């Protein structure tokens, strides 16, 4: 059941991040939006643990996942501009 929650929170975080940071070269579709949110949660957890906001056994919450997904979107847009 834990993995189902990861997918649900990841999808919602990806959708919210795409609404906050719109752009023409964004990933689209259910799968990519979900992966965006999950990647954002991993990025937020990694950065939060490195800075000391989260302990070793803690992960980022919904807001952290959204912030992480926005970071992933900014990197995605920067890489998309380079290749285009």
């Amino acid at each position: 059941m834990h993995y189902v929650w990861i997918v649900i929170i990841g999808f919602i975080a990806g959708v919210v991040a795409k609404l906050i940071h719109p752009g023409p070269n964004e990933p689209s579709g259910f799968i990519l939006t979900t992966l965006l949110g999950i990647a954002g949660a991993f990025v937020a957890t990694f950065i939060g643990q490195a800075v000391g906001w989260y302990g070793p056994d803690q992960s980022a919450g919904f807001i952290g996942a959204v912030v992480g997904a926005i970071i992933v979107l900014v990197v995605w847009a920067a890489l998309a501009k380079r290749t285009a």
Side-chain angles (χ1 to χ4, degrees):
M1 193 64 175
H2 177 70
Y3 295 112
V4 173
W5 280 114
I6 290 173
V7 170
I8 291 171
I9 296 299
F11 174 70
I12 295 170
V15 168
V16 170
K18 285 173 62 173
L19 290 174
I20 292 173
H21 184 270
N25 295 330
E26 288 184 352
S28 60
F30 175 77
I31 301 290
L32 287 177
T33 301
T34 303
L35 291 176
L36 169 71
I38 293 171
F42 281 119
V43 167
T45 299
F46 178 74
I47 292 172
Q49 288 177 351
V51 173
W53 293 338
Y54 305 120
D57 59 341
Q58 294 177 324
S59 61
F62 176 72
I63 295 173
V66 171
V67 171
I70 291 172
I71 292 170
V72 172
L73 274 176
V74 168
V75 170
W76 183 291
L79 291 176
K81 284 183 182 179
R82 277 189 170 168
T83 60

